Amino acid sequence: MKFKQICVLGGTGFIGHHVVERLAEQGYSIKLLSRARERHRDLLVVPGVDIVEANIHDQAQLAREINGCDAVINLVGIIKERGFNGTGYRSVHVDLANKLIRACQAKGISRLLQVSVMGADASRGSSYYLRSKGEAEDLIAVAAKHNMLTTVFRPSLVFGAGDHFISRFAEMVKKAPGILAIPCAASRMSPVYVGDVAQAIVEALPDKSTYGKTYDLCGPHTYTLGEIFRYFSELTGHRRWFWDLGVGGSHVLAFLAELWPGKPFTVDNYRTLLTDCSGSTDDLKSFGIKPHPLESVAPLLLGFDHRQSHYNHLRRRGRVRVG
Ligand SMILES: NC(=O)c1ccc[n+]([C@@H]2O[C@H](COP(=O)([O-])OP(=O)(O)OC[C@H]3O[C@@H](n4cnc5c(N)ncnc54)[C@H](OP(=O)(O)O)[C@@H]3O)[C@@H](O)[C@H]2O)c1
């Protein structure tokens, strides 16, 4: 089967940008559905890309927009909801997946790739976020039993150009007044490079051996959140004292931060962090991908020379003064 025209939902986001660029490199025509076309005009310079403004939560509109496409990639996801009771996550993750499956079936599109997250589990997930992502995975599994050609990806924390992670963590370390309180410092994750995630998705698209399968996408090293902050402290040269808030303190911080404008951290984020998000690189390697470690990308993204920062890291460990 040959896929030419690919519809991407959530293709304007962080991972979406990288997926779209790789699809374009492979010569696919790409239709992006977005709530705000003008905000993402930068993507229009990518060859073969068309952005269509659409309300993808409207079943009829969604079906109309995906009509004529050969495959759909769903990258839509949120990490914060407006309310507090999980209905926002359900609407964006579960209801949308349901509508998308129905739209694909109505328009005779069988190939569907879904991006979920490590730790997603409909019944045992520790947060609304993880449970809703798990429910969406379950819907995809049912669709696979009804002749849909599905593939699901479960990345750990994703890093790379444009991420929600490296620059934010580095900025937090920089701004901290000598001491930085870290919620859920013991949470474990295996950060994975966005280029590796995008490559796996684009390689899987035409690959029949991926039909009906689920892939965990993890980087080569597992860290605790506390270790990641310590690494950014060493990398940027901003020596800080880190205060592990523990489970109780993290819960209280999340409760208070949720009331802050913009909700910088929520109780649901805290509950998500209670789930181990680490794993092995086996699935990425099955695509022939050699996963990039965080240390090979973060210094470049923060404007540091990679080798120099590595030597500085070693010198600091040996307590030698760095010039
Ligand atoms: N980033 C990570 O570390 C990470 C880790 C594991 C899994 N994931 C999963 O990977 C996927 C992509 O993540 P990302 O970091 O690239 O996300 P992102 O940058 O926040 O982008 C998500 C996209 O989804 C669309 N979207 C957001 N809310 C929506 C809503 N209410 N209705 C319709 N569309 C909406 C947005 O498109 P428009 O604004 O154009 O409409 C946006 O471009 C998500 O499913 C996420 O759960 C991410």
Side-chain angles (χ1 to χ4, degrees):
M1 187 182 296
K2 247 193 149 159
F3 305 116
K4 286 186 189 143
Q5 171 87 23
I6 315 301
C7 183
V8 187
L9 278 61
T12 55
F14 158 52
I15 300 175
H17 267 75
H18 294 264
V19 169
V20 166
E21 277 164 22
R22 281 188 189 254
L23 287 170
E25 277 165 23
Q26 303 279 322
Y28 290 102
S29 292
I30 305 139
K31 181 173 184 179
L32 300 180
L33 302 186
S34 168
R35 291 167 300 173
R37 183 180 189 273
E38 287 308 303
R39 231 190 301 143
H40 305 292
R41 287 192 67 81
D42 59 308
L43 279 163
L44 286 171
V45 300
V46 181
V49 168
D50 185 19
I51 308 179
V52 174
E53 197 158 299
N55 175 9
I56 56 176
H57 301 283
D58 180 292
Q59 180 75 64
Q61 210 179 124
L62 179 62
R64 227 177 14 250
E65 293 301 345
I66 66 169
N67 192 26
C69 293
D70 303 307
V72 181
I73 302 176
N74 182 19
L75 284 147
V76 173
I78 53 169
I79 48 168
K80 285 176 210 168
E81 63 172 359
R82 278 225 183 93
F84 301 90
N85 61 3
T87 48
Y89 290 114
R90 275 197 66 81
S91 161
V92 175
H93 299 149
V94 188
D95 298 345
L96 179 62
N98 195 18
K99 286 172 191 164
L100 184 56
I101 290 165
R102 281 194 283 153
C104 286
Q105 287 167 339
K107 297 299 171 187
I109 302 166
S110 53
R111 186 73 176 119
L112 174 61
L113 291 84
Q114 167 84 2
V115 178
S116 184
V117 64
M118 280 285 292
D121 190 312
S123 53
R124 284 175 302 171
S126 57
S127 62
Y128 288 127
Y129 173 68
L130 292 175
R131 285 196 293 279
S132 63
K133 283 288 203 179
E135 273 188 64
E137 282 189 25
D138 290 351
L139 290 174
I140 300 285
V142 172
K145 288 190 183 137
H146 291 86
N147 298 328
M148 285 204 63
L149 312 173
T150 63
T151 308
V152 176
F153 302 90
R154 292 162 52 97
S156 182
L157 184 66
V158 185
F159 64 89
D163 66 15
H164 312 297
F165 157 46
I166 290 182
S167 50
R168 192 165 159 226
F169 280 23
E171 199 57 26
M172 282 167 75
V173 168
K174 192 173 151 197
K175 285 191 176 154
I179 180 168
L180 181 60
I182 309 180
C184 308
S187 302
R188 283 158 50 85
M189 53 205 76
S190 309
V192 58
Y193 177 51
V194 67
D196 298 334
V197 172
Q199 189 180 340
I201 294 170
V202 174
E203 301 234 334
L205 176 61
D207 183 350
K208 286 184 182 155
S209 72
T210 69
Y211 294 174
K213 295 213 178 121
T214 296
Y215 295 90
D216 289 345
L217 304 180
C218 294
H221 305 302
T222 294
Y223 313 84
T224 63
L225 192 56
E227 284 168 345
I228 292 179
F229 272 103
R230 256 172 231 114
Y231 166 63
F232 280 112
S233 164
E234 286 180 3
L235 178 63
T236 58
H238 297 289
R239 308 303 300 272
R240 299 290 180 258
W241 192 66
F242 293 102
W243 175 26
D244 177 354
L245 286 176
V247 172
S250 305
H251 198 168
V252 172
L253 176 80
F255 180 77
L256 296 173
E258 190 161 270
L259 304 174
W260 205 258
K263 293 188 181 186
F265 185 58
T266 68
V267 172
D268 205 67
N269 295 156
Y270 151 76
R271 292 197 174 118
T272 298
L273 283 170
L274 296 179
T275 292
D276 190 323
C277 197
S278 65
S280 91
T281 53
D282 291 353
D283 288 355
L284 264 183
K285 285 181 181 157
S286 71
F287 289 101
I289 297 168
K290 186 167 178 253
H292 291 72
L294 178 64
E295 293 83 352
S296 72
V297 176
L300 301 173
L301 287 180
L302 293 173
F304 295 94
D305 175 73
H306 170 50
R307 273 171 310 170
Q308 190 60 43
S309 58
H310 180 63
Y311 296 143
N312 287 350
H313 171 74
L314 294 177
R315 284 192 194 112
R316 281 193 197 98
R317 283 208 152 167
R319 296 185 187 282
V320 176
R321 206 166 158 265
V322 185

